[in-house]
Amino acid sequence: MKRLCLLLCLLALLTGCASSTPRMAAVRAFAADAPKLGAYHELTERYRNTYQRQQPYMYPAADAREQLLDARRQQACDDFVKLQYGLQAYMRALGKLAGDNQYDLEDQVKSIGSGIKAWPDSGLEDRHVNAYAGLTRLAARALTRPLQENTVDQLLREGSAPMQQVLDAMATLLRLYSKSSDNEEDLVLGMLESEIPFLDANRKRLLLALAKAKQQEKQAEFRLIGLRFTLARNNLDLIAQKQRALLDHLPAD
């Protein structure tokens, strides 16, 4: 009995030492940055709802065409958002294996769900789809791996290329969202700017006041969205930089 207790204490000590090294602390800090991907999620959902925001400002001739585009956009966004879930699951799997017990890997893996498909017209290609599948497999595999430093190192090496591809996919999609937002801004503000001058200030004072208020509201909204795009891109760059730093400090095979 004493020998068993001694063995258990030794194993606990070894695990604790592994998780307390500076490299493992860096891995846990890397995993803690996973919530920064929330800005990408927010912009994906905004892109998903593009038609609902634009519809009141459209001419009837454009509405039918935009409805068809919206149906395709809804399907694509289901896959676009999974990129974030897969990347977060992988990052948190690394954190878990590095000794951070706050993550429930089973819930993380379940949140990934089924696979995704390519949407070439959006920039999401087969290479991105394959990379996403690779990351999700690594996250699922972490469920059965021991909390050891060499396990973390292996997961970092195997996830290096697919993670870079997933980050590339997310950056590509952010450019798509930004272009869509610019088009929406041109449509909405262009319509307001062209229509407001023709409102009779004496007979339609209330309508004119409402139109001007909506114009100011939309101008502020698009300025804020521009800042959100900058934040989302910076967060992807930060995560990519931290991944490279972790890889640079890996011990030689």
Side-chain angles (χ1 to χ4, degrees):
M1 185 67 181
K2 290 182 178 180
R3 184 176 299 176
L4 177 60
C5 291
L6 181 61
L7 179 60
L8 292 174
C9 290
L10 180 59
L11 288 173
L13 179 61
L14 290 174
T15 302
C17 290
S19 64
S20 64
T21 65
R23 281 202 315 112
M24 293 301 99
V27 172
R28 293 194 296 275
F30 175 67
D33 280 334
K36 288 185 168 65
L37 296 171
Y40 167 87
H41 183 104
E42 174 190 336
L43 292 169
T44 300
E45 294 306 315
R46 178 177 172 80
Y47 176 71
R48 185 197 295 273
N49 297 322
T50 297
Y51 172 73
Q52 285 78 6
R53 291 191 308 276
Q54 289 184 344
Q55 199 275 334
Y57 302 90
M58 289 179 188
Y59 291 106
D63 190 59
R65 182 185 69 249
E66 291 300 323
Q67 285 188 46
L68 293 176
L69 293 175
D70 179 62
R72 183 172 176 81
R73 186 185 297 116
Q74 298 301 317
Q75 296 175 19
C77 284
D78 288 342
D79 285 342
F80 296 167
V81 78
K82 285 183 181 178
L83 292 168
Q84 173 209 355
Y85 296 151
L87 182 51
Q88 283 183 321
Y90 170 72
M91 293 173 68
R92 287 167 173 164
L94 286 169
K96 177 75 172 181
L97 293 175
D100 194 332
N101 295 319
Q102 68 174 306
Y103 305 121
D104 187 333
L105 290 188
E106 290 190 16
D107 285 346
Q108 291 292 311
V109 171
K110 287 178 182 177
S111 71
I112 297 170
S114 58
I116 64 175
K117 69 175 184 177
W119 297 88
D121 55 338
S122 72
L124 184 62
E125 302 174 354
D126 287 333
R127 61 189 175 93
H128 299 133
V129 172
N130 294 334
Y132 168 82
L135 275 191
T136 57
R137 283 195 297 270
L138 290 174
R141 192 190 307 170
L143 289 170
T144 59
R145 292 300 178 91
L147 305 183
Q148 294 177 357
E149 199 162 331
N150 61 351
T151 306
V152 177
D153 294 343
Q154 182 181 4
L155 204 66
L156 277 168
R157 289 191 180 94
E158 294 181 7
S160 172
M163 181 171 170
Q164 290 171 19
Q165 289 291 336
V166 169
L167 285 170
D168 177 72
M170 295 170 74
T172 298
L173 291 172
L174 282 177
R175 289 192 290 272
L176 171 69
Y177 304 163
S178 180
K179 182 179 179 180
S180 174
S181 182
D182 288 343
N183 292 338
E184 180 182 342
E185 182 175 4
D186 291 342
L187 170 68
V188 173
L189 295 184
M191 184 267 199
L192 291 170
E193 288 170 2
S194 64
E195 295 291 336
I196 286 176
F198 293 98
L199 294 176
D200 190 318
N202 294 318
R203 296 177 58 191
K204 297 184 178 180
R205 292 177 56 196
L206 177 59
L207 181 59
L208 180 60
L210 291 174
K212 288 184 176 180
K214 175 59 71 173
Q215 184 181 42
Q216 293 174 355
E217 174 190 321
K218 284 295 183 179
Q219 288 170 340
E221 176 186 329
F222 287 118
R223 282 196 296 270
L224 178 60
I225 290 301
L227 295 175
R228 297 300 292 174
F229 276 114
T230 299
L231 175 64
R233 288 190 290 264
N234 289 344
N235 285 344
L236 291 185
D237 290 342
L238 174 66
I239 289 173
Q241 290 169 8
K242 288 195 172 184
Q243 184 210 23
R244 287 194 294 270
L246 291 175
L247 293 170
D248 288 343
H249 290 86
L250 281 176
D253 290 334

